[in-house]
Amino acid sequence: MLRTALELAGEGGYEGVQMREVAERADVALGTVYHYFTSKDHLLAETLAEWLRGLEANVARNPARGDTTLERVLDLLRRTTRAMQSNQKVSAALIGGLVAEGEQVAACQQEMHEMFSAMLGTAFPPDYPRDRRDKIIRSLEHIWFSELIGWKNGWNPFEQSVRELEDAAELFLAGDH
């Protein structure tokens, strides 16, 4: 069902994902789709969480590259945004689901926060002050989320959003070695 949601999002964006179509293409009953996903937004948020799980596994296999914390953080941020940029229609649809209200969507948001934090945490050396690291990661998450919403809503081009995120990382980590 998640794969089908991705396919439909790639074809028609957020509006292209319809629960009935997901059921038909995934060859399951509509009730089965609603058993696992309470709404289209829940389905899209879970699909984005699944995508992030794949990215997290990729980072585990291929750790962040760079000689400094900043270089490693930028490497991870660039990998994340590059993956989203490769199919902007899908990314916009998934972000649309992620910003919706609801208990299930909130659970996906929390899971994604935990995964993103853990993934970015791998860019920091073990002796980095934990409190500072956690504040930097949380701030970068907020900026990333804000920039993705701005891009999805057409307030700014994708490239500008990426640059804003990279600028924030540079400000937070300037002088760290």
Side-chain angles (χ1 to χ4, degrees):
M1 290 183 280
L2 299 177
R3 231 181 351 263
T4 300
L6 276 175
E7 291 170 8
L8 290 169
E11 294 169 12
Y14 181 84
E15 296 305 321
V17 180
Q18 300 299 319
M19 298 296 261
R20 184 170 305 286
E21 183 71 16
V22 169
E24 289 174 14
R25 285 204 193 177
D27 198 26
V28 299
L30 183 58
T32 301
V33 176
Y34 278 105
H35 174 77
Y36 291 102
F37 308 103
T38 57
S39 66
K40 173 170 84 169
D41 292 326
H42 178 208
L43 171 62
L44 290 170
E46 187 61 51
T47 301
L48 183 54
E50 181 64 23
W51 173 83
L52 192 55
R53 284 183 209 105
L55 183 62
E56 185 180 42
N58 181 284
V59 168
R61 287 188 307 273
N62 304 299
R65 292 176 293 280
D67 295 328
T68 66
T69 303
L70 174 60
E71 289 172 357
R72 291 186 298 274
V73 166
L74 288 174
D75 177 60
L76 293 176
L77 294 175
R78 287 175 181 146
R79 283 198 240 174
T80 303
T81 55
R82 210 173 21 247
M84 295 187 85
Q85 190 175 24
S86 68
N87 196 331
Q88 293 186 18
K89 192 181 283 190
V90 169
S91 296
L94 297 180
I95 293 163
L98 183 64
V99 299
E101 295 179 16
E103 188 177 312
Q104 295 81 9
V105 173
C108 291
Q109 292 167 343
Q110 179 61 34
E111 181 184 6
M112 289 181 40
H113 154 66
E114 291 166 7
M115 286 187 288
F116 193 72
S117 294
M119 188 175 63
L120 274 184
T122 66
F124 290 78
D127 62 343
Y128 200 91
R130 182 183 181 129
D131 185 54
R132 179 168 166 69
R133 179 200 69 194
D134 292 347
K135 287 177 182 177
I136 290 170
I137 290 171
R138 189 65 172 165
S139 295
L140 287 173
E141 284 182 43
H142 287 300
I143 293 166
W144 183 61
F145 191 64
S146 173
E147 289 299 329
L148 287 175
I149 292 169
W151 163 72
K152 179 207 160 291
N153 290 338
W155 303 334
N156 50 340
F158 193 85
E159 296 74 22
Q160 179 184 339
S161 294
V162 170
R163 188 67 228 149
E164 296 284 344
L165 182 57
E166 290 176 356
D167 287 348
E170 290 171 3
L171 286 170
F172 293 143
L173 293 165
D176 284 2
H177 298 289

